[in-house]
Amino acid sequence: MMIKNVFDSLAATKEHENLVGLDLRKYSSEYFHASEKVLAYQDKIKSALPLDLQETLEQLDDEYNCMMMSGMDVYYRQGFSDAVRLIMETMSWSPTRS
């Protein structure tokens, strides 16, 4: 259990360091153009919906974003875990004769 806590702490710290102040719109043209389209589609849908459904659309968007971020977190932690495992196996490898 101690290792899991250390792993979670390291993965969360590294993930936080990589994302602090990062505006993907500045670094990726694909992200920039996709986000512009998303905003345009959201505005178009919102203008066609009554106020109560606009709120529902915003809640749906929030929950979908939460779901996507949670999935990305799982993938990030798995990649981190794989990298640590590879480093540990590499460090403990020794030539053997078959």
Side-chain angles (χ1 to χ4, degrees):
M1 188 60 85
M2 176 72 164
I3 292 173
K4 184 177 182 350
N5 291 337
V6 170
F7 171 77
D8 287 344
S9 175
L10 287 172
T13 300
K14 187 63 181 164
E15 184 176 3
H16 179 70
E17 288 173 1
N18 289 338
L19 298 177
V20 170
L22 183 63
D23 180 7
L24 292 177
R25 293 169 56 94
K26 292 180 181 177
Y27 297 102
S28 170
S29 61
E30 289 93 3
Y31 186 92
F32 173 81
H33 293 294
S35 66
E36 290 294 311
K37 288 179 183 178
V38 165
L39 292 174
Y41 293 145
Q42 282 179 340
D43 289 343
K44 187 175 183 178
I45 292 171
K46 277 178 132 180
S47 66
L49 293 175
L51 190 57
D52 61 327
L53 288 179
Q54 288 180 19
E55 292 174 15
T56 302
L57 178 64
E58 289 177 12
Q59 291 170 345
L60 171 67
D61 186 48
D62 289 345
E63 291 303 320
Y64 181 78
N65 287 335
C66 182
M67 185 178 72
M68 290 293 104
M69 291 300 291
S70 297
M72 288 172 52
D73 186 50
V74 169
Y75 291 131
Y76 178 87
R77 290 172 186 264
Q78 184 60 52
F80 185 85
S81 174
D82 291 345
V84 169
R85 183 176 293 120
L86 176 65
I87 291 168
M88 296 302 293
E89 287 178 9
T90 302
M91 290 174 61
S92 65
W93 180 84
S94 63
T96 58
R97 192 173 175 163
S98 337

